[in-house]
Amino acid sequence: MTKLENPVLMATIGGAQGIRGEVRVKAYTADPTALGDYGHLHSMDGRVFEVLELREMKNMVVVRFRGVNDRNAAEALNGLELYIERGNLSDEELEDDEFFYADLEGLEAFDDQGISYGTVTGVFDFGAGDLLELKGPGKRPVLIPFSEASVLEIDLEAGKLLIDPLAAGLIDNPDDLKGLSPGKPKKKK
């Protein structure tokens, strides 16, 4: 059993497919058929899964894992999330404006005045573009668009995002920033 230090979610297993132990899998990779290219997949309970066969089917892939040989074993995996170690993902293949979701989580969002809007706690795509979830101390989580207009700069080494709070929908007009100082939360009206 292996415990991952920096896990990255790669797929979620769905229902069984047929009687030979195959399962339907929702892959979170750019190319779903590349799921087997990342090496062994791991569950959070320490199990390791080796992809033996993989084929594309509509908006998912059908996978046969080593040791999963019948429908009952396949059905027992329904809902299981599969991860890899972050170090198995190559940064060299990314363009300058591309990032792994896992690298964005934990970054703190600031505006050009140094005012903090919280930390990125999740990255979501509900179909209309990527959204960053920001959560500050004592604040409810808010979603902002992950776009060039909202997120002006990303500094992974410093752990910071430079955002435009107006474009991100965090303020209604620039006058809302008056009276705020770096590190102090916005006062409720």
Side-chain angles (χ1 to χ4, degrees):
M1 295 205 172
T2 306
K3 175 122 172 79
L4 300 177
E5 291 181 28
N6 192 3
V8 175
L9 179 63
M10 298 299 287
T12 302
I13 297 176
Q17 176 74 27
I19 60 171
R20 296 186 316 133
E22 294 179 318
V23 290
R24 293 184 299 272
V25 174
K26 170 70 174 159
Y28 303 117
T29 56
D31 174 12
T33 60
L35 185 62
D37 298 344
Y38 297 97
H40 293 348
L41 301 167
H42 304 262
S43 63
M44 288 311 244
D45 62 8
R47 291 182 283 171
V48 178
F49 294 85
E50 179 184 349
V51 175
L52 294 179
E53 294 176 21
L54 184 140
R55 70 179 188 276
E56 198 164 9
M57 181 179 141
K58 294 186 184 179
N59 58 352
M60 65 185 65
V61 288
V62 175
V63 180
R64 192 166 145 252
F65 293 110
R66 180 175 305 284
V68 181
N69 300 317
D70 60 37
R71 186 171 183 89
N72 290 338
E75 287 174 347
L77 301 176
N78 191 359
L80 189 67
E81 293 180 330
L82 300 175
Y83 299 83
I84 64 168
E85 186 63 53
R86 169 60 182 94
N88 292 356
L89 297 173
S90 172
D91 292 335
E92 295 168 5
E93 296 175 14
L94 294 177
E95 300 290 328
D96 288 339
D97 61 345
E98 289 183 317
F99 301 91
F100 290 116
Y101 285 177
D103 292 342
L104 297 174
E105 292 180 12
L107 299 181
E108 190 164 0
F110 292 93
D111 65 11
D112 60 355
Q113 307 285 311
I115 298 169
S116 173
Y117 290 86
T119 302
V120 177
T121 55
V123 183
F124 304 100
D125 183 357
F126 299 114
D130 294 331
L131 298 170
L132 300 179
E133 179 183 59
L134 301 180
K135 174 88 171 82
K139 298 180 186 175
R140 289 181 165 211
V142 295
L143 296 174
I144 67 167
F146 184 45
S147 65
E148 289 181 6
S150 299
V151 180
L152 307 173
E153 187 178 311
I154 298 172
D155 187 348
L156 294 175
E157 291 178 13
K160 296 181 180 181
L161 293 175
L162 177 63
I163 64 169
D164 178 343
L166 187 59
L170 296 171
I171 60 172
D172 293 328
N173 64 59
D175 293 337
D176 290 347
L177 290 176
K178 289 181 182 174
L180 290 181
S181 59
K184 289 190 177 178
K186 183 178 170 183
K187 294 181 182 177
K188 293 184 178 182
K189 293 182 182 181

